[in-house]
Amino acid sequence: GQNIDQPTEMTATEGAIVQINCTYQTSGFNGLFWYQQHAGEAPTFLSYNVLDGLEEKGRFSSFLSRSKGYSYLLLKELQMKDSASYLCAVSYNAGNMLTFGGGTRLMVKP
Amino acid sequence: DTGVSQDPRHKITKRGQNVTFRCDPISEHNRLYWYRQTLGQGPEFLTYFQNEAQLEKSRLLSDRFSAERPKGSFSTLEIQRTEQGDSAMYLCASSLPRLAGREDTQYFGPGTRLTVL
């Protein structure tokens, strides 16, 4: 079976740093993705991890530990526009289908 | 705009009617995926194509649902005899296959929001 867990909601202050955790148990693993989704819009790609360790991309970083089935997304210097849902997804099978967590709704306050 | 496009963006229909959605992927992408997303949840995989071949279907895809990709370019998703439980956002995504040194990132279209009354 496929199971991906992430917190439902988080709140943070503008300019701060926030870490969104994701744990997964999946039959098959090709890689882990993070997407950002604003209300009523499509998910947009943020980051991809296939090997253990940290991937950094500007204000966003993502970490993966395959042995622990764990990932996190780190957002630095938070801006109001970062208020959105953040989706953790595992790619599996030869077709690289995605299994998503329920998403973490992040609210950035002034 | 060279991204994934979907049409229509919104569809309101009455229970029992048939609906069809269209997805145009990024032109060089040979993989195309359909997902369904309900409010407050992450997307759920429905089916995917590599070129014109439909290679995988989720158990979520009942026999009222059918998808095609006749020439390996655009795809259609049809829902027959719609039910209120079909109300959701239907998302399409496309990608290139994963190869060494290349990610298989899926890029999503804006979605079709279906409301069944």
Side-chain angles (χ1 to χ4, degrees):
Chain A
Q2 313 288 76
N3 190 48
I4 299 181
D5 288 318
Q6 49 183 131
T8 305
E9 286 187 357
M10 298 183 73
T11 302
T13 304
E14 191 176 16
I17 299 173
V18 70
Q19 178 175 312
I20 302 174
N21 295 325
C22 169
T23 58
Y24 64 90
Q25 289 178 304
T26 57
S27 53
F29 180 88
N30 295 339
L32 189 140
F33 293 82
W34 284 94
Y35 285 85
Q36 180 191 60
Q37 187 175 31
H38 285 99
E41 297 183 9
T44 55
F45 170 71
L46 288 178
S47 69
Y48 170 70
N49 294 73
V50 63
L51 299 177
D52 289 356
L54 190 68
E55 293 284 340
E56 297 187 79
K57 234 185 223 187
R59 294 191 298 115
F60 295 81
S61 303
S62 57
F63 172 83
L64 175 66
S65 168
R66 288 175 300 173
S67 62
K68 294 182 179 178
Y70 168 69
S71 173
Y72 68 73
L73 179 70
L74 195 70
L75 292 78
K76 302 176 187 175
E77 301 168 15
L78 281 173
Q79 302 175 9
M80 298 299 292
K81 67 178 182 179
D82 296 329
S83 294
S85 285
Y86 291 85
L87 300 164
C88 174
V90 169
S91 168
Y92 67 99
N93 210 335
N96 293 320
M97 291 87 77
L98 294 175
T99 292
F100 285 86
T104 298
R105 191 169 67 180
L106 175 66
M107 289 175 280
V108 180
K109 296 187 173 179
Chain B
D1 187 349
T2 56
V4 179
S5 62
Q6 293 186 244
D7 183 71
R9 296 290 306 277
H10 301 273
K11 178 71 177 177
I12 299 174
T13 191
K14 293 183 179 178
R15 190 178 55 183
Q17 299 294 305
N18 299 344
V19 295
T20 300
F21 311 141
R22 176 179 170 127
C23 170
D24 287 88
I26 294 170
S27 60
E28 64 269 26
H29 286 184
N30 62 349
R31 284 190 171 178
L32 186 150
Y33 302 80
W34 286 98
Y35 293 84
R36 180 172 69 187
Q37 186 176 26
T38 53
L39 201 62
Q41 302 297 317
E44 296 173 293
F45 168 75
L46 292 178
T47 188
Y48 98 96
F49 294 83
Q50 180 154 318
N51 301 311
E52 64 275 8
Q54 188 175 16
L55 297 184
E56 188 85 21
K57 290 195 288 187
S58 162
R59 283 174 291 179
L60 291 175
L61 213 66
S62 76
D63 57 7
R64 296 185 297 105
F65 288 70
S66 61
E68 294 183 341
R69 195 182 182 197
K71 296 182 181 178
S73 56
F74 73 91
S75 175
T76 58
L77 177 68
E78 181 184 17
I79 308 175
Q80 296 183 326
R81 305 181 304 280
T82 51
E83 302 173 355
Q84 288 183 325
D86 297 331
S87 295
M89 175 79 87
Y90 290 84
L91 293 164
C92 175
S94 70
S95 77
L96 290 166
R98 182 169 57 97
L99 291 177
R102 184 179 76 196
E103 300 169 8
D104 60 336
T105 302
Q106 292 182 30
Y107 294 92
F108 284 82
T112 295
R113 181 168 294 285
L114 173 67
T115 302
V116 181
L117 302 176

